[in-house]
Amino acid sequence: MGKTGGFGGNAPGPTRPDGLLIWTSVVEPGGVADIEAVRRHVLPALYPFAATLPTLAGPGYQGAGHGVVVLLPQPSDGNVLS
């Protein structure tokens, strides 16, 4: 992958379990990391509902905060995560 030098943007937003986008934040420049864009725009809107509506996120969002459950894959070396 890597940078192409062209224009790009990062507009994170939450989706429903079936993948339908619920809301999109303002666009950040493509060089802004996903987690940083989410911290600026999505998490402030999500936190008021986090106690009653847990949110699933991928491994790149580790440390996103209370109510955000990060899914981690099982290691392929035979060890099992508890």
Side-chain angles (χ1 to χ4, degrees):
M1 298 284 198
K3 301 281 182 188
T4 62
F7 292 103
N10 189 346
T15 61
R16 295 187 335 193
D18 64 2
L20 182 67
L21 186 64
I22 298 171
W23 170 78
T24 303
S25 77
V26 299
V27 177
E28 289 281 345
V32 174
D34 290 349
I35 187 66
E36 184 60 33
V38 167
R39 282 186 179 135
R40 288 181 193 169
H41 304 292
V42 177
L43 294 179
L46 182 68
Y47 281 150
F49 306 100
T52 57
L53 184 68
T55 302
L56 299 177
Y61 297 96
Q62 213 167 2
H66 178 73
V68 179
V69 179
V70 176
L71 303 175
L72 298 174
Q74 292 289 341
S76 60
D77 62 2
N79 290 326
V80 178
L81 297 175
S82 57

